[in-house]
Every structure is written in structure tokens, then in C-alpha cells.
Amino acid sequence: LEEAIDTFLLTCAARVARGQAREHNSMLVHVSRYVDVHIEVHRQVETYLRTTRAMISNGDRETLNRLKAVWESDYRPTTDAVRSTVYGRNTVSVTWDQVAARLAESSDKIQVITANGRSKADIDYDAYKETGYSVIAVGGDKLSRGLTLE
């Protein structure tokens, strides 16, 4: 889950670096159908995200090296592979330095919500048309049955 969150942080920063700061970014965390589990996972995701944000903002070398390693081992080869396909026609290449420069601002926009039968939280993309909505949604059946994520 931590690696998935790191990947989401990189995705959000890369989109900002590509000029897509107003686009929505969504991550789904579906670990169980039980609401009590959602609450605990939400807490864990929020804690990891808050800690990672602080480390990024403080220029923590270990955190930035960890994120750069994911960028180098996953994003670069995947982007190169996709670029040669029909899906890569409009791909704008960005460097690690461009992404790293956007990590703090893009990670600050990310909100963590719980979406289940008990929660009142709703994913309202329309409210964020001007700025883009970056969200990590923790939930279960509500997420897997009809809730649309952008």
C-alpha cells in the first residue's frame, strides 16, 4: 500500500509537470467490505501520506531517493514502452527533476476519504473543476459497485 501511495504521488506530480494541474487524480483502496477495516486503513493511509508530505517538503533525501527509485524503475521504462504505441502519441515526456519540483505542491492537494455505506463523504469532482481533485478513496462495496472515479 505504501508503494501504491508513492506511485500515486508520482502520478499527480507528473501530471502537474505535464501541464495537467487541473485534471482529477483518483486512487481506490479496496481492502475489505467491512467498515471497521475502512476506518483503520483510512487512518494508516492518512498517516503515511502526512508523513511523506512532510518529508518531501523538508527535502528528506531518503524519501526523495525512494520516490526517484520508483520513477526510474517503473515510470521511465513504462513511458518508453507506451510511447511507441498508439496510446503514447500525445505523451509529454517529463524528467525526474521536473516531477521532483512538483511533488510538494501536488501532494498537498491529495485528500483521503472513506467511501462506504456509513460515510457521508462524496466524491464531488465538479466542486474542483478549477483546481482538479486528487483523492485517495478507501472503501469497499460502495467503491466497487457503481461509484465512478476519474
Side-chain angles (χ1 to χ4, degrees), residues 106-141:
S106 63
S107 66
D108 284 345
K109 285 177 51 176
I110 299 171
Q111 297 179 37
V112 182
I113 67 161
T114 302
N116 57 40
R118 269 197 232 158
S119 68
K120 303 254 188 255
D122 198 14
I123 300 176
D124 184 8
Y125 292 105
D126 290 337
Y128 295 88
K129 279 190 265 190
E130 297 301 315
T131 60
Y133 187 39
S134 295
V135 61
I136 299 175
V138 179
D141 291 344

Side-chain angles (χ1 to χ4, degrees), residues 1-140:
L1 184 55
E2 290 174 353
E3 185 177 335
I5 294 167
D6 286 352
T7 301
F8 187 64
L9 290 168
L10 291 169
T11 298
C12 294
R15 291 193 80 191
V16 172
R18 289 183 180 121
Q20 299 171 323
R22 292 182 173 180
E23 299 298 323
H24 304 304
N25 302 292
S26 304
M27 176 178 169
L28 164 64
V29 179
H30 184 317
V31 292
S32 172
R33 55 184 288 244
Y34 298 108
V35 173
D36 292 343
V37 175
H38 303 163
I39 294 165
E40 177 59 22
V41 172
H42 179 277
R43 185 192 63 72
Q44 292 171 354
V45 170
E46 186 70 51
T47 299
Y48 183 78
L49 181 60
R50 185 175 44 249
T51 301
T52 303
R53 274 185 190 139
M55 297 301 209
I56 291 168
S57 293
N58 291 325
D60 180 70
R61 183 165 298 213
E62 185 178 323
T63 301
L64 294 173
N65 285 341
R66 182 183 78 231
L67 293 169
K68 184 177 182 181
V70 174
W71 180 262
E72 295 294 333
S73 68
D74 186 358
Y75 277 80
R76 283 191 52 215
T78 301
T79 301
D80 291 344
V82 170
R83 189 176 295 119
S84 65
T85 71
V86 67
Y87 303 107
R89 285 185 192 153
N90 296 319
T91 302
V92 176
S93 295
V94 292
T95 65
W96 164 251
D97 290 336
Q98 291 171 304
V99 171
R102 301 300 190 169
L103 273 169
E105 78 178 82
S106 63
S107 66
D108 284 345
K109 285 177 51 176
I110 299 171
Q111 297 179 37
V112 182
I113 67 161
T114 302
N116 57 40
R118 269 197 232 158
S119 68
K120 303 254 188 255
D122 198 14
I123 300 176
D124 184 8
Y125 292 105
D126 290 337
Y128 295 88
K129 279 190 265 190
E130 297 301 315
T131 60
Y133 187 39
S134 295
V135 61
I136 299 175
V138 179

